[in-house]
């Protein structure tokens, strides 16, 4: 069972529109920062700051592939989030529209 303090911290992370959108995007597949920048139409430092908060909060994990970092969801140990994620709108169209190959990054 999760304690109130941890749940409060998770709720704070989810309370930000940008972070909730990022989590919804990562539901579709793992993404690199540049794909997120393109989809969200914001700066790389802005995305990186949100990713750091989500990673520190245990909601995302990163995997290095060469010099590039890819992010994915890390909610398997948080069953209380699964119901919420079922209600997030699909971001499949947005995610399918970008790729490292199209953006010429992560090679």
């Amino acid at each position: 069972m999760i304690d109130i303090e941890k749940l409060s911290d998770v709720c704070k992370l989810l309370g930000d529109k940008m972070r909730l959108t990022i989590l919804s995007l990562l539901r579709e597949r793992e993404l690199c920062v540049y794909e997120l920048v393109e989809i969200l139409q914001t700066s790389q430092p802005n995305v990186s700051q949100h990713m750091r908060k989500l990673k520190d909060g245990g909601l995302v994990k990163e995997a290095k592939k060469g010099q590039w970092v890819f992010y994915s969801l890390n909610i398997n140990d948080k069953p209380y989030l699964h119901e919420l994620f079922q209600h997030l709108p699909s971001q499949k169209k947005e995610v399918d529209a970008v790729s490292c190959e199209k953006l010429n990054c992560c090679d």
Side-chain angles (χ1 to χ4, degrees), residues 2-73:
I2 188 168
D3 67 38
I4 287 288
E5 189 167 339
K6 285 182 183 175
L7 186 56
S8 173
D9 290 343
V10 168
C11 287
K12 287 176 192 173
L13 289 170
L14 297 175
D16 181 90
K17 180 182 173 185
M18 179 72 72
R19 287 192 288 271
L20 194 57
T21 301
I22 290 169
L23 292 171
S24 185
L25 291 165
L26 292 175
R27 230 179 65 185
E28 301 299 332
R29 68 174 168 88
E30 73 174 8
L31 297 165
C32 77
V33 169
Y34 295 103
E35 290 172 309
L36 290 166
V37 165
E38 181 70 20
I39 293 168
L40 298 169
Q41 292 295 293
T42 190
S43 69
Q44 182 270 326
N46 187 30
V47 170
S48 292
Q49 182 178 29
H50 285 293
M51 296 312 297
R52 180 187 51 78
K53 289 179 181 180
L54 290 169
K55 184 179 164 214
D56 289 349
L59 298 179
V60 300
K61 58 186 172 185
E62 63 181 31
K64 284 216 175 221
K65 295 182 182 178
Q67 66 182 14
W68 302 100
V69 177
F70 287 81
Y71 294 96
S72 59
L73 285 180

Side-chain angles (χ1 to χ4, degrees), residues 49-99:
Q49 182 178 29
H50 285 293
M51 296 312 297
R52 180 187 51 78
K53 289 179 181 180
L54 290 169
K55 184 179 164 214
D56 289 349
L59 298 179
V60 300
K61 58 186 172 185
E62 63 181 31
K64 284 216 175 221
K65 295 182 182 178
Q67 66 182 14
W68 302 100
V69 177
F70 287 81
Y71 294 96
S72 59
L73 285 180
N74 185 33
I75 62 166
N76 289 338
D77 62 337
K78 298 163 189 70
Y80 55 91
L81 290 179
H82 292 231
E83 178 68 27
L84 169 71
F85 275 61
Q86 294 298 317
H87 297 282
L88 290 175
S90 173
Q91 301 290 323
K92 184 166 176 40
K93 185 174 81 172
E94 290 80 356
V95 169
D96 287 348
V98 300
S99 69

